[in-house]
Amino acid sequence: GKIALVGSGSYFILIIWGINPTAWLASAGVIGIAVGFAAKDTLSNLFSGFFIIADTPYKTGDFVVLDSGERGMVTNVGIRSTRILTRDDVEITIPNAVIGNAKIQNQSAGRWEKFRIRLKIGVAYGSDLNQVCNVLKLIAYDDQNVCKEPEPRVRMRGFGDSSINFELLCWINEPVLSGSVAHSLYMSIYNKFQELNIEIPYNKQDIYIKEIPEIRYPESK
């Protein structure tokens, strides 16, 4: 508003003084175009920053995952850039023009901050499937970082080449805990399967020798 008021006032003053401002306006237009081309990246970041602040797809403290694979907590949302602190304690500065056009997963948004993790588990053919489901549920219930509501679920996902595939789905309180909770559950599953003799299959090949050829030694002279 101030710039518009000063500009219009200067225009009318020049007219009153009998000075033709047309040439000056043309020069100013050319200069403005040149400045616009030179600062297009900065202006793009500024406009994207305004849209991000207005639309709020994420806010400070949210845990986000970018389409490029980076994941971490948003530490600052500025006019020119957004800063994200990764799980390795490395701060990434992303221009708003880039992040404004990226696909972002905000794992802290939604109905609640809780986050669901999915663990893929395979068991050998011939295993007691009801026992497998019950064991996986009990392991999830016993983990203190797993939410009891919604309750953990076990789903059979199909028949693999050498395994029957299951998926353990359980909720945790914060997305940032997904790595540590998955580690704890996998360790407990392996130890419990070893204790109950539930086989976890792995790729292997059996070689059968049908016939051993006869070895003939040369006769000594």
Side-chain angles (χ1 to χ4, degrees), residues 49-117:
F50 288 131
F51 291 136
I52 289 173
I53 293 174
D55 193 38
T56 60
Y58 51 82
K59 61 183 183 298
T60 301
D62 285 353
F63 197 84
V64 299
V65 180
L66 305 181
D67 56 359
S68 56
E70 289 91 350
R71 59 192 294 264
M73 185 178 66
V74 178
T75 58
N76 183 69
V77 182
I79 296 297
R80 192 193 66 84
S81 63
T82 297
R83 291 197 289 272
I84 296 176
L85 185 67
T86 68
R87 296 293 295 147
D88 298 325
D89 283 337
V90 176
E91 189 173 71
I92 301 175
T93 300
I94 306 173
N96 286 332
V98 175
I99 199 171
N101 295 318
K103 180 181 178 181
I104 304 172
Q105 297 182 29
N106 189 347
Q107 297 182 344
S108 299
R111 293 183 301 168
W112 48 42
E113 193 178 357
K114 294 179 181 179
F115 180 72
R116 187 164 70 173
I117 60 176

Side-chain angles (χ1 to χ4, degrees), residues 34-61:
V35 172
F37 275 112
K40 62 178 182 179
D41 292 336
T42 301
L43 293 175
S44 177
N45 290 329
L46 290 176
F47 282 116
S48 298
F50 288 131
F51 291 136
I52 289 173
I53 293 174
D55 193 38
T56 60
Y58 51 82
K59 61 183 183 298
T60 301

